[in-house]
Amino acid sequence: MTVQLQTAPAAFDADRAERFAERMAQAMNDGALMIMVSIGHRTGLFDVMAKLPPATSDDIAKAADLIERYVREWLAAMVTGRVVEYEPANRTYRLPPEHAAWLTRAASPNNLAVTTQFVPFLGRAEDMILARFREGGGTSYEDYHRFHEVMAEDSGQTVVAALFDVILPLVPGLEKRLEAGIDVLDAGCGSGRALHSLAERFPRSRFVGYDLSAEAIERASAVAAAKNLGNLRFEARDLTGFNERAAYDLILTFDAVHDQKDPEGLLRGIAGALRSGGVYLMQDIAGSSRLENNLDHPFGTLLYTVSCMHCMPVSLGQGGAGLGAMWGEELAETMLREAGFRSIERRRLEHDPLNVYFIARVW
Ligand SMILES: C[S@@+](CC[C@H](N)C(=O)[O-])C[C@H]1O[C@@H](n2cnc3c(N)ncnc32)[C@H](O)[C@@H]1O
């Protein structure tokens, strides 16, 4: 790529400009690839291709029950994006098993295609967010297409799949207490998948899920009813001003504090809602509160983008603080202390570079 410079100031570094243009070109390709990977996931094309030998676009389209002309164009993007291999002599396409290992439903919880859905999801919100840049204000969850669906699928991989093997063991003795029977709240539970798993596994414990979104709670309650989970209750409610005194032994929040209207108030409410000996397990986005520390964050751009286009505006839209997803671990810890937590541990989990876990106690 050549950059035409009309009047280059003396200090202008043309090599640097050239490198930047190349970086932008690569970003354009990668951004486009994310949309196509999302389509590959939603159409089931990756799942179909993982089971096929090298196949023509006709065979792939037939196996996926899709229109061949669209499948062929998608395949071209996959081939040039180095996701799928192409054999020109036979016009066959192949998804290598090493790639299928990160792109199929069978590969879950390692299915990265699930997370790529956030890119087209945010693209659809561009006009709405553009208006917020000019006019201020925020958004509401209902303004976004498929938020709770994509979120539930994503946290199904990062949280639910790791719940029993990795997340609960973060709190020593917790599994035994859950087996014996305790009261548990998931605040900002979304579609409630974590609670469905917990309530099924620990029938002696009692579980409650609160979330602002009536749509998410309806979905969560329907699953609980279908699974006949009598020890699990969901309620659509705004957690602003949450104040249930000494009501729970375990409180969970999964990616649900930073986009609240009043995160500080919620943390205070959680501290007050724990019984003596109780524990608060908070999962939130991993990162520093200081931008300069996030330059090498492996998902920095993605997270600030999700924050700018979703997490921050949904909080502002509630008249809230608009902390943003990258509020950072330093601020999170300070806010936990100010809320009354005295013992705070911070843990990272190997399977999940996007999130951090805090184990907090008031005693
Ligand atoms: C990023 S989602 C996480 C959902 C779920 N915990 C998960 O991991 O899939 C954040 C959730 O917080 C909820 N939320 C935001 N503000 C809230 C408020 N003021 N009161 C109750 N819930 C709220 C949203 O409805 C949303 O479901």
Side-chain angles (χ1 to χ4, degrees), residues 121-185:
F121 161 82
L122 294 175
R124 198 171 161 134
E126 185 189 13
D127 287 353
M128 174 172 74
I129 296 301
L130 208 59
R132 302 282 71 78
F133 269 79
R134 299 199 169 106
E135 297 153 20
T139 58
S140 85
Y141 283 91
E142 289 70 37
D143 293 333
Y144 297 84
H145 180 61
R146 295 182 70 235
F147 171 71
H148 290 293
E149 195 183 326
V150 176
M151 187 66 229
E153 205 179 349
D154 195 58
S155 58
Q157 294 204 127
T158 52
V159 176
V160 185
L163 209 45
F164 303 116
D165 291 343
V166 200
I167 297 173
L168 295 184
L170 289 173
V171 185
L174 183 57
E175 200 167 335
K176 281 219 154 45
R177 294 183 71 194
L178 283 160
E179 272 162 11
I182 56 173
D183 287 289
V184 182
L185 169 68

Side-chain angles (χ1 to χ4, degrees), residues 7 18 20 26 70 72 77 81 95 97 134 138 161 167 174 182 191 253 268 320 326 343 350-351:
T7 49
E18 179 68 19
F20 182 70
Q26 185 60 44
Y70 279 88
R72 195 176 357 130
L95 179 66
R134 299 199 169 106
I167 297 173
L174 183 57
I182 56 173
S191 306
T253 57
R268 267 198 312 279
M326 294 299 274
S343 150
E350 208 177 305
H351 77 282

